[in-house]
Amino acid sequence: PAAFSLLALATESVGERFQGKGVEASLLSEVAVISPGQTFTVALTLRHEPGFHTYWKNPGTVGMPTQIVWKLPPGFKAGDLVWQSPERSKMFKYDVYGYEANATLLTEIKVPANLPAKPILLQAKASWMACNDSSCNPGYHTFELRLQVGEKTIWDPKVKQLVRDARSRIPVPLPDLRAEAESK
């Protein structure tokens, strides 16, 4: 019975959705069952209504970047937010950088070696600014992900593919590119 219930969990994505003004935000885990010492990825997806955009980590002259503040159980560690390449948009007369298309931002979570044999709660307070030509709407929501603990990790294939697709849109450094600037 316990193995059956863990298998049933694997068929449902672990995540939460929130509808804000101009954008629907979701927080999804690529695992349904975590095991001690592993690392897994959580995806914050931003689905924009037509005409709206959200902001990249360096938004330009105006705008507020999307952020996540994690509240994790003892021993868990969250990495930095990993951003896909931004798009250039306009906010009034200013160039801004962010996303008009749907965006998926990633965070790696490191699980400690010792885990209790009970579900684990991860909380993520996400905030963003969704703007269109006439208004800006701050959005925020505290997402909760409840993950089961087991000896073996159970991955969610749909979210794992979402994470894989998002990783393909992360900019990579060009190893031989060099630049110099001089003020005159």
Side-chain angles (χ1 to χ4, degrees), residues 71-148:
K71 183 177 178 186
L72 303 172
F76 281 73
K77 297 200 182 328
D80 293 334
L81 199 56
V82 178
W83 302 80
Q84 67 188 59
S85 295
E87 304 160 335
R88 184 168 43 199
S89 298
K90 284 284 191 191
M91 188 61 202
F92 305 112
K93 64 181 181 177
Y94 300 104
D95 284 338
V96 296
Y97 300 93
Y99 310 102
E100 290 180 11
N102 297 335
T104 303
L105 310 178
L106 306 176
T107 304
E108 289 205 348
I109 305 290
K110 175 74 176 143
V111 178
N114 296 315
L115 286 177
K118 63 180 185 177
I120 298 294
L121 180 66
L122 308 179
Q123 292 180 312
K125 184 175 184 180
S127 58
W128 58 87
M129 182 72 71
C131 298
N132 65 11
D133 289 340
S134 60
S135 69
C136 283
N137 306 286
Y140 53 90
H141 183 71
T142 300
F143 293 94
E144 292 188 349
L145 298 177
R146 189 170 304 278
L147 303 173
Q148 300 298 318

Side-chain angles (χ1 to χ4, degrees), residues 1-14:
F4 176 74
S5 63
L6 288 179
L7 188 57
L9 278 173
T11 62
E12 290 185 32
S13 293
V14 175

Side-chain angles (χ1 to χ4, degrees), residues 13-37:
S13 293
V14 175
E16 184 182 351
R17 294 190 192 295
F18 175 77
Q19 180 63 52
K21 175 102 169 130
V23 68
E24 178 188 83
S26 301
L27 191 70
L28 302 166
S29 171
E30 71 176 343
V31 297
V33 177
I34 58 175
S35 57

